[in-house]
Amino acid sequence: MNIADSIHKVVTNASIIGAIVATIGTILLGYWLRKTNRLKEGAVKTLTTVTMTVALPLLAFTSFMAPLNQKTLEQGMSVLVWGILIYIILIISMPWLYAKYGKDERDVLGVLTSFGSTTFFGMPIVGAVYGAKGIMYSSIFNIGYRIFLYSYAYIKMSGQQMKAEHIKKMFLNPIVIATFLGLILWLVQNAAPQVLANVTNATTGKTVAQHVAFYRIDATLPWLNSWFKTLSSLASPLAWLAIGANLAQMSFGEALKNKTAWYYSFNKVVIVPIIMILLVVVTSAMGILPVDHVALATMVIMMATPVATVTVNYAMAFNRQSLMASNTSLISTIFATVAIPFWIIIVQLLGDLSLFK
């Protein structure tokens, strides 16, 4: 298949176009609702709270209610390793992009560029385009992200040592709990007590009787799984509404004139995903940590997300270039909203390469 055919295949894919339209359209709706005061400030906080404590944790957990096979296991482990390696690489390399800046600005921009909003911005988009498999990969990928976000990023931004309260906060996060619980249950399911249940094949749609782990609620308790799926399906629209509403609450004037914010946003949304692609293409060609198309797409989208809210909060809490951090949050969110559709198209085209079959 040549490039023209590949592009035609992507731009005529109703699922991909639908996901892109839903993302941008709902963000714009959230912006309009907040700008016209139909959505109050308190309501925006509620949307974020429900998304982070209910919808996203259930989205992560239910994605692991799936069969365990050798290929998926290998892919998951590759994604886990990449999720650790890429942050080590970014932590070391990103400050060099800001070599001409003062030390404080360079350190802060390095942290802001390394860590994106992979959970709140990235996971809903991955789920909309690539379904449960993409959510599973993004949840595994985020393990490394959370380790470095709550350790390295905190220490770098605060100048303090890690405290027990921060470790506690990291591990008691509902999304972290749901991810580790789901991952463990997924990995040990073949060794767990088995029951006979009707299982629907995600590819063929056919239902067959087979033995599964007793806790595979997608097969053993479909009514409970259906409820969890309903709640998890709220993640994308609620997150997108909240993103749009937050944009409406920010001051555009100063941010739009800030050249550093634009330079940062280009690095975060364009350069970082390119680094991810180049590393994966080279290593996959060498047979090292190979990944399939969905895993590649998931990692690229996660890398193309705007600045993480946690790192911006660090900047404000410890008075580390807080105004600059706020400006980067606004510009990178706009930049990412525009760029993500292009990245989805690019990774779909890369999916036609034999490396990612």
Side-chain angles (χ1 to χ4, degrees):
M1 183 180 292
N2 59 40
I3 295 179
D5 289 337
S6 297
I7 293 175
H8 181 267
K9 177 183 175 183
V10 173
V11 299
T12 57
N13 187 311
S15 297
I16 295 173
I17 300 302
I20 292 172
V21 171
T23 302
I24 296 176
T26 311
I27 288 174
L28 291 175
L29 176 61
Y31 179 88
W32 177 76
L33 289 173
R34 182 69 190 101
K35 205 66 176 176
T36 58
N37 211 33
R38 287 173 170 81
L39 192 63
K40 307 298 182 183
E41 183 178 355
V44 177
K45 293 180 179 179
T46 301
L47 288 178
T48 303
T49 300
V50 172
T51 304
M52 298 297 288
T53 60
V54 179
L56 281 174
L58 285 176
L59 188 66
F61 178 77
T62 55
S63 71
F64 288 103
M65 293 295 107
L68 175 67
N69 57 60
Q70 188 62 30
K71 182 178 180 182
T72 308
L73 178 60
E74 291 174 355
Q75 291 293 305
M77 293 305 100
S78 290
V79 169
L80 176 61
V81 174
W82 271 120
I84 295 172
L85 282 178
I86 190 62
Y87 285 105
I88 294 174
I89 292 169
L90 293 177
I91 285 168
I92 295 171
S93 62
M94 287 302 100
W96 289 98
L97 293 176
Y98 308 99
K100 294 183 179 180
Y101 289 78
K103 185 179 185 305
D104 192 57
E105 288 179 298
R106 182 168 64 249
D107 288 346
V108 172
L109 286 167
V111 172
L112 296 178
T113 311
S114 299
F115 299 94
S117 182
T118 58
T119 302
F120 195 71
F121 195 97
M123 282 181 65
I125 294 175
V126 169
V129 181
Y130 301 104
K133 189 176 182 180
I135 291 297
M136 180 192 294
Y137 287 154
S138 63
S139 299
I140 295 172
F141 185 81
N142 262 349
I143 291 174
Y145 165 80
R146 294 187 183 283
I147 291 172
F148 290 108
L149 178 66
Y150 290 105
S151 57
Y152 169 81
Y154 173 81
I155 293 170
K156 192 70 174 177
M157 296 293 278
S158 68
Q160 304 172 12
Q161 295 297 314
M162 278 289 288
K163 298 178 182 178
E165 62 188 87
H166 301 113
I167 298 174
K168 180 180 178 181
K169 181 180 179 180
M170 176 172 65
F171 285 104
L172 292 183
N173 182 298
I175 300 174
V176 173
I177 294 172
T179 296
F180 277 104
L181 178 60
L183 178 60
I184 292 169
L185 293 178
W186 180 65
L187 291 173
V188 305
Q189 63 179 289
N190 291 342
Q194 305 286 298
V195 296
L196 189 65
N198 292 322
V199 179
T200 302
N201 187 293
T203 304
T204 64
K206 294 182 179 179
T207 301
V208 295
Q210 64 182 64
H211 286 90
V212 298
F214 72 94
Y215 53 73
R216 275 278 304 279
I217 61 172
D218 59 314
T220 59
L221 297 172
W223 51 270
L224 179 61
N225 188 63
S226 178
W227 179 42
F228 283 178
K229 287 284 189 182
T230 298
L231 292 175
S232 65
S233 67
L234 297 173
S236 295
L238 291 184
W240 296 333
L241 283 172
I243 289 168
N246 282 323
L247 285 175
Q249 296 177 150
M250 296 180 181
S251 175
F252 277 79
E254 289 300 318
L256 291 174
K257 293 185 290 186
N258 190 305
K259 293 181 180 179
T260 297
W262 284 101
Y263 176 59
Y264 160 83
S265 298
F266 178 80
N267 291 334
K268 180 67 194 74
V269 179
V270 178
I271 299 300
V272 171
I274 288 175
I275 292 172
M276 185 83 253
I277 290 174
L278 291 176
L279 288 171
V280 175
V281 167
V282 171
T283 54
S284 293
M286 298 169 63
I288 302 171
L289 295 176
V291 295
D292 64 16
H293 168 232
V294 175
L296 170 70
T298 297
M299 294 190 294
V300 171
I301 290 173
M302 301 292 262
M303 289 291 96
T305 54
V307 63
T309 303
V310 173
T311 56
V312 175
N313 289 340
Y314 285 161
M316 294 180 175
F318 302 112
N319 196 27
R320 297 288 304 276
Q321 304 293 330
S322 55
L323 178 59
M324 180 181 68
S326 179
N327 289 336
T328 62
S329 177
L330 173 59
I331 301 301
S332 65
T333 300
I334 297 172
F335 213 119
T337 302
V338 175
I340 286 288
F342 293 98
W343 282 121
I344 291 173
I345 293 172
I346 289 169
V347 292
Q348 286 297 121
L349 297 178
L350 289 173
D352 289 331
L353 299 177
S354 58
L355 283 176
F356 307 112
K357 295 297 185 182

